[in-house]
Amino acid sequence: MLLIAPTGGGKTLSGFLPSLIELADAPADGLHTLYVSPLKALAADIKRNLRTPVEEMDLPIRIEDRTGDTSYTQKRRQRADPPHILLTTPESLALLTSYEDAPRMFSGLQRVIVDEIHALQESKRGDQLMLALSRLDAISPGLRRVGLSATVEDPDAIAKTLARHPDPCPILYADPGPDPDIQMLVTQELPPWSGGGAAYSIPAVLEQVKKHKTTLIFHNTRAQAEIYFHNLWLANDEGLPIGIHHGSLAREQRDKVEAAMVRGELKAIVCTGTLDLGIDWGDVDLVIQIGAPKNVKRLVQRIGRANHRYNAPSRALLVPANRFEIVECVAALEAVKERALDGEPKGAGPRDVLCQHILIRACAGPFVDTELFDEVRTVGAYADLSRAAFDDCLEFCATGGYALRAYDRWQRLMLRDGLWHLRDPRAAQRIRMNIGTIQDTDTLKVRLKGNFKPLGEVEEAFAATLSPGDTFLIGGEIVRYENLKEMTVQVTRRADKQPKIATFLGTKFATTTQLFDRILAMFQQPDWPQLPGHTADWLALQRKVSKMPERDRILVETFPHDSRSHSVFYSFAGRNAQQTLGMLLTQRMEDLGLNPIGFVATDYATMVWGLDEITDPAPLFDASSLRDGFENWLSGNAVMKKTFRASATIAGLIERNLPQARKSGRQATFSSDILYDTLTKYDPDHLMLRITREEALRGLVDFGRIEEMIARTEGRIDHVTLKRVSPLAAPICLEPGRVPIKGEGRERLAEEAAAKLLDTAGLADNGKDKRRWGGPMLFYG
Amino acid sequence: MNTVDFQLRGLTLTALPSGALWDATHRALCVSDLHLCKSDRIARRQGLMLPPYESRETLDKLAADIEATHPQMVICLGDSFDDLAAAEALDDDCRQTLTQLQAGRRWIWIEGNHDPGPVELGGTHLAELQLGPLTYRHIAENAPSGEVSGHYHPKFALPGAGAARPCFLYDDRRLILPAYGAYTGGLRAQTPVLRDLFAPQCFAILTGRKALLTRLP
């Protein structure tokens, strides 16, 4: 059964009512109800909210949570003596099903409650969860499933995912409640042309914080949250109690903030998606969204944080960080008013997740392939899985699935007497350590020097850019990078006002198609009365010095910037498609001798820079050469390698976590890109490459939207040559996530850089040094 | 050819873009850290089944360099196999390639820390080799004079020019070769344990499409 109710409607507790009644009427030992939520914090939160009434009514019901944060002893005890109600996450559940005693633990299970199922459904975590449920269903037939979802645009799709295939799934709708009260924050200061910091809004936001009981200040990325929090504190003359909460902070720090919030001690919390889902603590009466909400569904969720009184409208303020985001915010506001929730359709069950499921199943003990196949097919997303496709995955798990059968001696799974089992039972530990489908970039812990307690985490790629002495923000404080010791970033505290390096990476969200159509329609208005004056002026200036992008044309702007020629292609196809377009365009440019060096993609445009200027963009968009290029390009590009890495990790080809902490001797490890290249060359039909291609086409490369864009624009290209960056292009110049192109242009740069280093040695080309001690001579034959 | 010539102890050497070293005077080709059969060792020890094609890839690359230089002697500078047991896992196809490559020339396996003993694959096994003014050994020693070694898998990233590439490192006393094998990572040339082996004045030759000479900061 699926219950759809707006956030704040009390749907979570209602999901537990049948369990509480059954357990009160007929107390029995063992696990009765399993609650699964996408967030650890949510499980902890529900535990608090559920225990209070249970203790007040003096019911003999034990409620515990189990997540990656639960202690080892507690986890052991839970397996030996499970509580009546266990609150957990998809990953922890998958791990539980991997133990040999899983059948004993789950044999009496009556109900499973999946909370915030709309959020899980968007990712592979949902697929993994449903596979785990198919296992539980086999252990405890007749298990009842309840899904709890916020308002969604396609409830039937979620119902199909939730229910055991082909069972029906009734859907219950709760009253959606009054319309939320959302406005754009009016500030004295003008928002900047570009950038994502929104520092201009700090005084106005502080005013709002003072006027309300508790304010949640949402950001789209962790880096933005850190910078904003820092600036907020610098301006917080009255010392208002304000906290910060996001996913890369250490657990102790998050716990502290959560506890303070529950006690009502905080006036405001600066946060990211970790607080995005239905966590219900304290008297939040205002939600502020910094930066444009990239999709409307997320915006509505966040607004739901405010004012958990069901019959009063929620109050929210949008704070666009720059002028382009003002346009996005206005478009999003219109969408909320029209209750037009957006979302992307979901494809068939991914096979890398299935491979992991097979390995997890093998950890739990020997299995019969036919039985597992039948079980998997009860999952809605895998209902159409063919036996051949299943066998491919099984073969991959067992032997690696290579054309060259090199692993007969070291097979992972062996078939004996009709049963599949692990060749080496010790492998189970390694498989368990790598359960999960969340593909975070690799992160490193950050620690104060001489202190054991971690401050939080930063991405490995960010850590690699640091030199000793660099300062950056973490947990709202400025720290100085000292060194990297045993894969931990060691830092010291600094009292500086501004960090030298302001940002680390962070999650990027893609804007949805619906929002684009609204934005493009808005661009065509003769004037913009619904936009603030400065933003209308900005668009007017764009119209004056260049052109407004149109739905059925491609606008190309070319201008010099940073001593390189830049071209911006506005085609509004979404970040993934724009990224693919960047790859294809730079490949065409390489063929045409234009020496591209790199590109960056945003949701609405791709910017390419290179050594030579584009004078005629039309040949770049020739549909047939783009299409030819696509096939050729697909196998060799960086996006595919990234996708391969993610899928290969999920499928168990490579490991993310090793039994011992990673060694610091890095020459022993090598990049998964090498594996991708080798497979492509020697085993192009290998399952992992087929999965990679499928995954990439599913979203990351989005060639479909490029085809659609080419068809829509039919070669209508407007090329504008400018002396400097255009108003609309300014935000793109600051966009992170630049992709380098490895071509002739970069080869030339490498040669220049190499020669420059030689020059500083004064040894570029003279023979004197050579005679003295055998210095270098250069030959490019 | 996109190669770089340089001198060590008065002998002219050529760095090939593949990561092999060519000594034209002695007609000797040297490659280091092939790590053949690495995937077999990983399967045996970690239970992971990586694409088992790295030996094929590495030997094909070596065959191309041999074809281009026609050496009288090939020196494999240690860690040619990921371990001694892995050497037995080399498939027939690769064995045949190796036999063909060995035909008509001296073939020397220098012992490495991964492969400290002889393998049953033809050629001569040595701890070190002296060739003209140069000593070939797997791991660099203190106070060398004309030493050629491997082991560290050096790599270097040019500022503003993309990812790190495997590289040769040399000063006036020693030379360290990049890892030649397909499944090998790298150690950044600035890492103290590696950088400290060299004088302040030290050069790197990057591998890739072209060999590229530069100076180490």
Side-chain angles (χ1 to χ4, degrees), chain A residues 147-386:
Chain A
L148 310 173
S149 170
T151 321
V152 285
E153 81 281 3
D154 189 2
D156 288 333
I158 293 191
K160 270 202 190 99
T161 315
L162 171 68
R164 186 184 189 280
H165 183 78
D167 298 353
C169 178
I171 306 178
L172 269 178
Y173 294 90
D175 178 358
D179 283 347
D181 167 21
I182 320 173
Q183 288 165 29
M184 212 149 64
L185 179 71
V186 183
T187 58
Q188 297 288 325
E189 293 275 328
L190 297 183
W193 282 35
S194 56
Y200 77 95
S201 66
I202 298 244
V205 164
L206 273 177
E207 273 314 303
Q208 292 293 332
V209 169
K210 276 181 220 161
K211 276 194 241 161
H212 290 83
K213 263 189 287 190
T214 308
T215 305
L216 290 185
I217 306 171
F218 272 108
H219 290 261
N220 287 330
T221 71
R222 293 166 186 177
Q224 283 169 1
E226 283 280 0
I227 296 165
Y228 199 84
F229 179 66
H230 180 73
N231 288 329
L232 207 55
W233 262 107
L234 291 179
N236 185 7
D237 299 331
E238 296 176 35
L240 298 171
I242 298 175
I244 182 165
H245 190 288
H246 64 67
S248 33
L249 291 181
R251 182 171 140 74
E252 298 84 44
Q253 268 201 308
R254 273 183 282 154
D255 282 351
K256 251 198 266 176
V257 172
E258 288 170 21
M261 186 169 169
V262 170
R263 291 194 301 269
E265 291 170 0
L266 292 177
K267 282 294 283 178
I269 296 103
V270 174
C271 55
T272 62
T274 42
L275 275 181
D276 226 359
L277 298 160
I279 302 176
D280 183 13
W281 359 337
D283 260 331
V284 176
D285 54 351
L286 175 67
V287 167
I288 294 180
Q289 158 75 37
I290 310 278
K294 299 297 180 190
N295 78 44
V296 175
K297 199 157 45 171
R298 185 168 288 113
L299 175 65
V300 170
Q301 274 283 302
R302 288 183 171 177
I303 293 163
R305 295 297 99 252
N307 207 348
H308 274 202
R309 280 169 301 155
Y310 194 43
N311 47 7
S314 313
R315 225 177 103 59
L317 287 169
L318 302 188
V319 183
N322 60 51
R323 294 182 198 196
F324 190 85
E325 291 198 345
I326 291 177
V327 181
E328 277 187 72
C329 281
V330 169
L333 283 177
E334 286 173 1
V336 173
K337 275 203 195 93
E338 291 164 26
R339 291 179 187 274
L341 296 169
D342 45 17
E344 307 286 333
K346 198 174 153 66
R351 282 181 289 167
D352 48 1
V353 181
L354 177 59
C355 289
Q356 190 181 109
H357 183 69
I358 293 172
L359 289 174
I360 290 172
R361 179 65 193 85
C363 290
F367 66 90
V368 178
D369 46 20
T370 311
E371 286 172 17
L372 184 58
F373 175 62
D374 290 343
E375 232 172 84
V376 167
R377 295 240 294 179
T378 66
V379 176
Y382 294 93
D384 296 329
L385 181 79
S386 70

Side-chain angles (χ1 to χ4, degrees), chain B residues 119-147:
Chain B
V119 287
E120 305 282 319
L121 287 163
T124 314
H125 287 264
L126 296 174
E128 298 184 359
L129 171 76
Q130 189 74 33
L131 199 60
L134 303 180
T135 310
Y136 289 78
R137 62 170 68 98
H138 180 59
I139 303 180
E141 290 185 354
N142 291 329
S145 169
E147 176 190 77

